[in-house]
Amino acid sequence: MTARAKPPEGIDENPHLDAEFFARARPVAPGEAAHLRAVLQRIVEEHEEGRSVDDAIAQARETLEVMK
């Protein structure tokens, strides 16, 4: 295993998680994680099979919009 390069000066790899970060967090709705996994899996499968991922990405975007 090779050592990872040091980050550029001024880059904090572990930024402080402030109130704004936690304000954006929300509990996962029932079935939400499974649905997100399914749309991501479709993107991966389309790519692995050499097909266009445009439709799969469009579906993922739509899913994310609904989950906001």
Side-chain angles (χ1 to χ4, degrees):
M1 188 162 103
T2 59
R4 201 175 84 182
K6 191 172 183 179
E9 196 71 32
I11 300 294
D12 185 359
E13 290 186 284
N14 298 304
H16 177 71
L17 301 179
D18 57 9
E20 181 184 334
F21 172 83
F22 289 104
R24 292 188 317 258
R26 64 174 178 73
V28 175
E32 187 175 50
H35 190 70
L36 290 171
R37 179 177 172 77
V39 295
L40 289 172
Q41 185 64 39
R42 181 172 173 219
I43 293 169
V44 170
E45 288 171 357
E46 299 282 327
H47 180 262
E48 287 176 347
E49 294 171 9
R51 297 192 306 246
S52 171
V53 295
D54 292 346
D55 289 340
I57 290 173
Q59 180 187 7
R61 284 188 174 128
E62 187 176 303
T63 299
L64 290 172
E65 281 298 314
V66 170
M67 293 183 170
K68 277 187 177 178

